[in-house]
Amino acid sequence: MEFKLLDRLATLSHPQRMAIFRLLIRRYPDALPVAEILTVLDLKPSTTSVYLSALKSAGLVHQRRLGTSLLYSANIAASQEIVSGLFSDCCGGRADLCLPTDPLKPATQPSVLFLCTGNSARSIMAETILRDWQGRTFTVASAGTEPRAGVHAIARDVLLSKGHNIQNLHSKNITTVLGETTSDFDFVFTVCDNAANQDSGALHGTPIASHWGIEDPVPAANSLDKASRDRFENTYEMLNTRISRFATLPFETASRADLQKSVDDIARN
């Protein structure tokens, strides 16, 4: 089925339909059940069904069934077609007239932000891994949208057992981190669903963003419980694997589009 540019733009012109599409983009490559979309955006079931049907008809979202639930994910190819169509139709192929002035590639020493809600476990573990193993190549930070009082004790213990320096670790608010940063971040990774669900308008520039969602190891965690320790160990290993793959990307030669695809692919594993 061929979709027309104006039809897709008309579909996205509705505020709630655009809100759903932007949520699915932020959570990409995740596929969200309708119930979660309702909760995050505070929408009514009846109208949400109509909005999702319109987005699906326009080819802007994918739908699949899992048991009795319908799951929705963003159609990234459709987003690319919209942008390409705008440049071809509206700019007459003159992309230099329409493209933003931001550089298409990150700096030689890319800056990376790991974002979560509490900044007490997943995001701060990710920051520590990238800082300690690849610190000469990257500028790295982590932050929380609603930071907790401090770094979780088991997270600190696991990092220490892996040979990391934990002396200066502390939870930080996203506004504080952005206020201390003199330049925009090249990459932003959300590692929890709650942070990805929020439309973080505080971020500056046009970072390459991806959702690396990982289950929260903190709930019901007990430092004396082996199962709790195992959850943090598994979180560390998953982050370490993804970060190791990220660190080997050809930042100086790859296009922005290729880097975006690469970091999204990492999230699937």
Side-chain angles (χ1 to χ4, degrees):
M1 181 183 297
E2 182 178 349
F3 299 99
K4 295 182 179 179
L5 174 63
L6 291 179
D7 292 338
R8 282 177 163 167
L9 292 175
T11 300
L12 292 174
S13 67
H14 189 281
Q16 272 81 31
R17 291 197 293 259
M18 174 62 90
I20 293 172
F21 185 67
R22 293 182 68 182
L23 170 63
L24 295 177
I25 288 289
R26 293 195 299 274
R27 288 289 299 276
Y28 183 82
D30 289 0
L32 305 189
V34 176
E36 186 169 355
I37 296 173
L38 294 174
T39 301
V40 172
L41 298 178
D42 193 24
L43 298 174
K44 296 179 180 179
S46 57
T47 52
T48 301
S49 177
V50 174
Y51 299 151
L52 286 168
S53 178
L55 290 167
K56 181 175 178 292
S57 296
L60 293 165
V61 302
H62 295 301
Q63 179 197 78
R64 65 181 175 89
R65 182 175 292 277
L66 181 63
T68 59
S69 299
L70 290 176
L71 304 180
Y72 292 88
S73 60
N75 182 357
I76 299 302
S79 301
Q80 296 169 342
E81 289 168 5
I82 289 174
V83 175
S84 175
L86 282 171
F87 287 156
S88 298
D89 295 346
C90 302
C91 300
R94 288 290 309 277
D96 56 301
L97 299 177
C98 302
L99 282 171
T101 56
D102 300 306
L104 294 179
K105 298 178 182 178
T108 304
Q109 184 173 341
S111 56
V112 182
L113 173 67
F114 293 101
L115 187 59
C116 200
T117 306
N119 193 218
S120 66
R122 289 165 289 182
S123 56
I124 210 157
M125 292 171 82
E127 174 194 4
T128 305
I129 293 169
L130 185 57
R131 181 199 66 206
D132 286 358
W133 293 164
Q134 304 290 339
R136 290 176 297 178
T137 307
F138 300 92
T139 301
V140 59
S142 71
T145 56
E146 299 175 15
R148 296 191 173 98
V151 181
H152 196 281
I154 305 181
R156 294 176 65 91
D157 190 48
V158 169
L159 288 170
L160 185 62
S161 71
K162 303 294 184 182
H164 295 284
N165 181 356
I166 64 171
Q167 184 176 358
N168 296 318
L169 293 185
H170 61 284
S171 300
K172 305 168 288 295
N173 191 291
I174 179 61
T175 55
T176 301
V177 171
L178 293 177
E180 295 174 348
T181 305
T182 57
S183 59
D184 301 332
F185 285 99
D186 297 307
F187 294 88
V188 176
F189 299 115
T190 50
V191 292
C192 77
D193 293 347
N194 287 338
N197 289 342
Q198 300 177 35
D199 188 357
S200 185
L203 292 174
H204 305 295
T206 55
I208 294 175
S210 188
H211 180 49
W212 287 5
I214 296 177
E215 187 176 356
D216 190 359
V218 171
N222 186 323
S223 59
L224 301 178
D225 179 51
K226 183 179 183 301
S228 295
R229 170 72 183 224
D230 289 344
R231 284 197 295 271
F232 278 83
E233 291 273 2
N234 292 338
T235 298
Y236 178 92
E237 294 303 330
M238 185 177 295
L239 287 168
N240 191 44
T241 298
R242 292 181 177 182
I243 289 169
S244 296
R245 290 182 59 193
F246 170 71
T248 63
L249 296 178
F251 299 100
E252 296 184 18
T253 58
S255 69
R256 181 184 178 92
D258 287 340
L259 289 173
Q260 181 69 70
K261 182 179 185 304
S262 294
V263 297
D264 287 339
D265 287 344
I266 289 172
R268 294 185 175 94
N269 300 311

